[in-house]
């Protein structure tokens, strides 16, 4: 139980620190600070690996370019985390695109397009 709280705490800390790096430290032009947000960080139980989920706003080509930029700065992010967070070993970082927000928006748009006449459950017999 205590280990899961530690993993959660470290995940939260890593999310905050990387978010701060995106705003002020990562200089790669492909990573637009206003276009990227960290949605979640999943840590392995041994704190050796961190999967950083990012939501990227923009076209598919912009998203691909941003992911390339994030992957290119992975070593910088890990090194910076090592200086900011006191852990025995700095975890390996892996950026993963999180498309759940986009899927949610699409689902809401589909639901909003349904009118009562299209829905067989609301029709009177």
């Amino acid at each position: 139980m205590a280990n899961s709280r530690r993993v959660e705490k470290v995940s939260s800390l890593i999310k905050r620190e990387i978010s701060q790096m995106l705003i002020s430290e990562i200089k790669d032009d492909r990573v637009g600070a206003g276009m990227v947000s960290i949605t979640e960080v999943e840590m392995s139980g041994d704190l050796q690996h961190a999967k950083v989920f990012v939501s990227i706003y923009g076209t598919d080509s912009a998203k691909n370019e941003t992911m390339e930029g994030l992957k290119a700065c992975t070593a910088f992010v890990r090194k910076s985390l090592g200086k900011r967070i006191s852990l025995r070993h700095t975890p390996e970082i892996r950026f993963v695109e999180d498309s759940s927000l986009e899927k949610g928006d699409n689902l809401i748009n589909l639901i909003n397009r349904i009118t009562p006449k299209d829905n067989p459950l609301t029709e009177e017999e």
Side-chain angles (χ1 to χ4, degrees):
M1 191 70 109
N3 189 37
S4 65
R5 271 186 279 178
R6 177 166 166 77
V7 168
E8 200 173 300
K9 189 174 179 180
V10 172
S11 295
S12 176
L13 187 59
I14 287 175
K15 180 179 178 181
R16 188 181 75 213
E17 293 299 332
I18 294 177
S19 294
Q20 193 61 41
M21 286 182 222
L22 285 172
I23 293 169
S24 61
E25 295 176 37
I26 295 176
K27 305 296 184 204
D28 193 317
D29 291 338
R30 296 174 290 184
V31 182
M35 311 276 280
V36 180
S37 63
I38 297 174
T39 56
E40 185 180 356
V41 174
E42 278 184 8
M43 295 293 301
S44 61
D46 61 1
L47 303 177
Q48 295 295 308
H49 302 278
K51 198 183 293 186
V52 180
F53 290 90
V54 293
S55 178
I56 305 168
Y57 181 78
T59 63
D60 286 341
S61 63
K63 289 178 184 182
N64 291 336
E65 193 173 317
T66 301
M67 282 306 294
E68 287 175 21
L70 287 170
K71 289 176 182 175
C73 70
T74 300
F76 168 78
V77 170
R78 184 171 187 228
K79 184 177 177 183
S80 295
L81 278 176
K83 292 177 183 176
R84 294 171 177 225
I85 301 174
S86 58
L87 292 172
R88 187 172 293 141
H89 300 285
T90 305
E92 292 288 331
I93 304 294
R94 188 167 64 119
F95 288 102
V96 179
E97 186 177 353
D98 183 358
S99 59
S100 63
L101 295 176
E102 189 175 305
K103 288 177 184 175
D105 282 345
N106 289 338
L107 187 59
I108 289 170
N109 288 334
L110 287 173
I111 291 170
N112 287 336
R113 281 197 268 161
I114 296 174
T115 59
K117 68 178 170 123
D118 293 335
N119 189 342
L121 297 176
T122 61
E123 289 181 9
E124 298 209 15
E125 296 180 22

CSV table of all heavy atoms in Angstrom, one decimal, residues 12-13 47 55 62-63 68-69 73 75 91 99 118:
chain,number,residue,atom,x,y,z
A,12,SER,N,3.1,12.1,-9.9
A,12,SER,CA,2.6,13.5,-9.8
A,12,SER,C,3.7,14.5,-9.9
A,12,SER,O,3.7,15.5,-10.6
A,12,SER,CB,1.8,13.7,-8.5
A,12,SER,OG,1.4,15.0,-8.3
A,13,LEU,N,4.8,14.2,-9.2
A,13,LEU,CA,6.0,15.1,-9.2
A,13,LEU,C,6.6,15.2,-10.6
A,13,LEU,O,6.9,16.3,-11.1
A,13,LEU,CB,7.0,14.6,-8.2
A,13,LEU,CG,8.2,15.5,-7.9
A,13,LEU,CD1,7.8,16.8,-7.4
A,13,LEU,CD2,9.1,14.8,-6.8
A,47,LEU,N,9.8,2.2,-10.0
A,47,LEU,CA,10.1,3.6,-10.3
A,47,LEU,C,11.3,3.7,-11.4
A,47,LEU,O,11.9,4.7,-11.4
A,47,LEU,CB,10.5,4.4,-9.1
A,47,LEU,CG,9.5,4.4,-7.9
A,47,LEU,CD1,10.0,5.2,-6.7
A,47,LEU,CD2,8.2,5.1,-8.4
A,55,SER,N,-1.1,15.2,-24.5
A,55,SER,CA,-2.2,15.6,-25.4
A,55,SER,C,-1.7,16.7,-26.3
A,55,SER,O,-1.1,17.7,-25.8
A,55,SER,CB,-3.4,16.0,-24.6
A,55,SER,OG,-4.4,16.4,-25.5
A,62,ALA,N,1.3,18.2,-37.5
A,62,ALA,CA,1.8,18.9,-36.3
A,62,ALA,C,2.0,18.0,-35.1
A,62,ALA,O,3.0,18.1,-34.4
A,62,ALA,CB,0.9,20.1,-36.0
A,63,LYS,N,1.1,17.1,-34.9
A,63,LYS,CA,1.2,16.1,-33.8
A,63,LYS,C,2.4,15.2,-34.0
A,63,LYS,O,3.2,15.0,-33.0
A,63,LYS,CB,-0.1,15.3,-33.7
A,63,LYS,CG,-1.3,16.0,-33.2
A,63,LYS,CD,-2.5,15.1,-33.2
A,63,LYS,CE,-3.7,15.9,-32.8
A,63,LYS,NZ,-4.9,15.1,-32.7
A,68,GLU,N,8.0,13.8,-32.4
A,68,GLU,CA,9.4,13.7,-32.8
A,68,GLU,C,10.3,14.6,-31.9
A,68,GLU,O,11.3,14.2,-31.5
A,68,GLU,CB,9.6,14.0,-34.3
A,68,GLU,CG,9.1,13.0,-35.2
A,68,GLU,CD,9.3,13.4,-36.7
A,68,GLU,OE1,10.1,14.3,-37.0
A,68,GLU,OE2,8.5,12.8,-37.5
A,69,GLY,N,9.8,15.9,-31.7
A,69,GLY,CA,10.5,16.8,-30.9
A,69,GLY,C,10.6,16.3,-29.4
A,69,GLY,O,11.6,16.4,-28.8
A,73,CYS,N,14.0,15.2,-27.2
A,73,CYS,CA,14.5,15.8,-26.0
A,73,CYS,C,14.4,14.9,-24.8
A,73,CYS,O,14.5,15.4,-23.6
A,73,CYS,CB,13.7,17.2,-25.8
A,73,CYS,SG,12.0,17.0,-25.4
A,75,ALA,N,16.4,12.7,-23.5
A,75,ALA,CA,17.6,12.6,-22.7
A,75,ALA,C,17.7,13.9,-21.8
A,75,ALA,O,18.1,13.8,-20.7
A,75,ALA,CB,18.8,12.5,-23.6
A,91,PRO,N,14.1,7.7,-13.6
A,91,PRO,CA,13.5,6.7,-14.5
A,91,PRO,C,13.7,7.0,-16.0
A,91,PRO,O,13.9,8.1,-16.4
A,91,PRO,CB,12.0,6.9,-14.1
A,91,PRO,CG,11.9,8.2,-13.5
A,91,PRO,CD,13.2,8.5,-12.8
A,99,SER,N,-4.7,10.2,-27.0
A,99,SER,CA,-5.7,10.7,-27.9
A,99,SER,C,-7.1,10.6,-27.2
A,99,SER,O,-8.1,10.8,-27.9
A,99,SER,CB,-5.7,10.0,-29.2
A,99,SER,OG,-5.9,8.6,-29.0
A,118,ASP,N,-34.2,10.6,-34.7
A,118,ASP,CA,-33.2,9.6,-35.1
A,118,ASP,C,-33.1,8.5,-34.1
A,118,ASP,O,-32.5,7.4,-34.4
A,118,ASP,CB,-31.8,10.2,-35.4
A,118,ASP,CG,-31.8,11.1,-36.6
A,118,ASP,OD1,-32.7,10.9,-37.4
A,118,ASP,OD2,-31.0,12.0,-36.6
